[in-house]
Amino acid sequence: MAQLVVTYKTPKDTAAFDKYYAETHIGLAKKIPGLRKYQINQGPITALAGSSDAYLIAILTFDSAAAIQAGLASPDGQAAAADLPKFATGGADLVLFDTRDL
């Protein structure tokens, strides 16, 4: 398995972010080919060493890192990526990695 983790930083207007994310962006992201699971945090995000500027974390699970890259390169993946500037006014960090169970 592999995961794409998107950390959205606190937006300028949290209510507008929440509305757009729920009504528009999730639908776009769920169309990315190869997506197996889509999770977001519930409740506030805290850091063990103090405050965090993270507002929302999304975890998208795929079969492999190659599947993530192929999904993001697809028209639906490109549409989801192009949508980010429309609502992520605080910025977003995206990381992807393969995972393994221990």
Side-chain angles (χ1 to χ4, degrees):
M1 300 301 282
Q3 294 182 320
L4 170 64
V5 176
V6 184
T7 303
Y8 295 97
K9 299 193 174 130
T10 303
K12 295 174 184 170
D13 181 341
T14 57
F17 176 98
D18 291 345
K19 180 175 174 46
Y20 190 92
Y21 189 81
E23 294 178 1
T24 304
H25 190 71
I26 289 173
L28 290 172
K30 282 189 165 186
K31 292 179 181 178
I32 298 172
L35 179 66
R36 298 287 182 212
K37 187 193 301 188
Y38 191 118
Q39 299 171 293
I40 61 170
N41 66 288
Q42 181 176 2
I45 298 169
T46 57
L48 295 178
S51 64
S52 171
D53 65 348
Y55 180 72
L56 185 137
I57 297 174
I59 303 168
L60 288 73
T61 303
F62 295 79
D63 288 336
S64 65
I68 294 173
Q69 292 169 337
L72 293 177
S74 74
D76 288 325
Q78 292 296 303
D83 192 51
L84 289 173
K86 296 178 183 175
F87 71 97
T89 57
D93 294 323
L94 289 78
V95 295
L96 66 96
F97 48 87
D98 279 312
T99 61
R100 64 184 169 123
D101 293 330
L102 300 176

